[in-house]
Amino acid sequence: MSLQPDQAIEVFYSYAHEDEKLRDKLENHLTLLRRQGVITGWHDRKIGAGKEWHNEIDTHLDSSQIILLLISENFIASDYCWDVEVKRAMERHEAKEARVIPIILDSVDWESAPFGRLQALPKSGRPIKK
């Protein structure tokens, strides 16, 4: 994963739609980094009218340098998050093409998941909702 010094890091938010408010709050917390040109953020709510959503998601999953997995019971239960986004994110992480960071939103068994070996946030994997 190599970047040009003046190139913003693309961040992909992988989340269940039920957790959209928490994703919005996280985006707000990262606003200064976006304004400074350090990061750009992308999630499926940025898909424009008439675009093919599956292609847009695949494109950004493949171009992002950081993939944030917003972990909750809704995320774990989402077939699309699990079968498409987690699978591709972990492939890119293992190939050292991207960094995957689990963000624990709620108490859920995530340690046995494919991303369970990765250091999660917040510290000690304590859920944000706690």
Side-chain angles (χ1 to χ4, degrees):
M1 179 170 81
S2 62
L3 295 173
Q4 302 301 324
D6 60 346
Q7 183 181 2
I9 296 168
E10 185 176 352
V11 177
F12 182 96
Y13 296 87
S14 177
Y15 70 103
H17 286 169
E18 295 87 348
D19 300 319
E20 187 168 11
K21 287 182 182 179
L22 288 171
R23 192 223 55 233
D24 287 343
K25 287 185 106 170
L26 176 57
E27 261 191 304
N28 287 343
H29 283 285
L30 298 176
T31 296
L32 186 58
L33 291 174
R34 183 183 52 78
R35 288 188 175 157
Q36 293 171 338
V38 175
I39 66 168
T40 61
W42 194 89
H43 50 77
D44 65 342
R45 296 298 193 206
K46 293 188 177 186
I47 299 172
K51 299 273 187 164
E52 294 186 25
W53 63 269
H54 185 70
N55 290 339
E56 290 292 302
I57 291 170
D58 286 349
T59 295
H60 288 279
L61 256 176
D62 286 342
S63 64
S64 295
Q65 291 89 15
I66 296 177
I67 301 170
L68 301 179
L69 305 178
L70 306 187
I71 309 302
S72 69
E73 69 278 2
N74 297 313
F75 182 87
I76 300 292
S78 167
D79 290 336
Y80 193 84
C81 288
W82 193 263
D83 295 336
V84 175
E85 294 180 2
V86 168
K87 180 181 178 201
R88 184 63 185 135
M90 292 307 296
E91 287 171 355
R92 293 199 61 231
H93 183 85
E94 289 164 11
K96 298 187 182 344
E97 298 171 352
R99 171 82 45 100
V100 173
I101 303 171
I103 310 289
I104 311 304
L105 301 181
D106 208 353
S107 297
V108 64
D109 176 22
W110 62 272
E111 290 91 349
S112 62
F115 47 83
R117 61 186 167 77
L118 303 178
Q119 181 63 46
L121 292 174
K123 193 175 186 177
S124 302
R126 182 180 165 90
I128 288 173
K129 289 185 179 179
K130 297 269 180 182

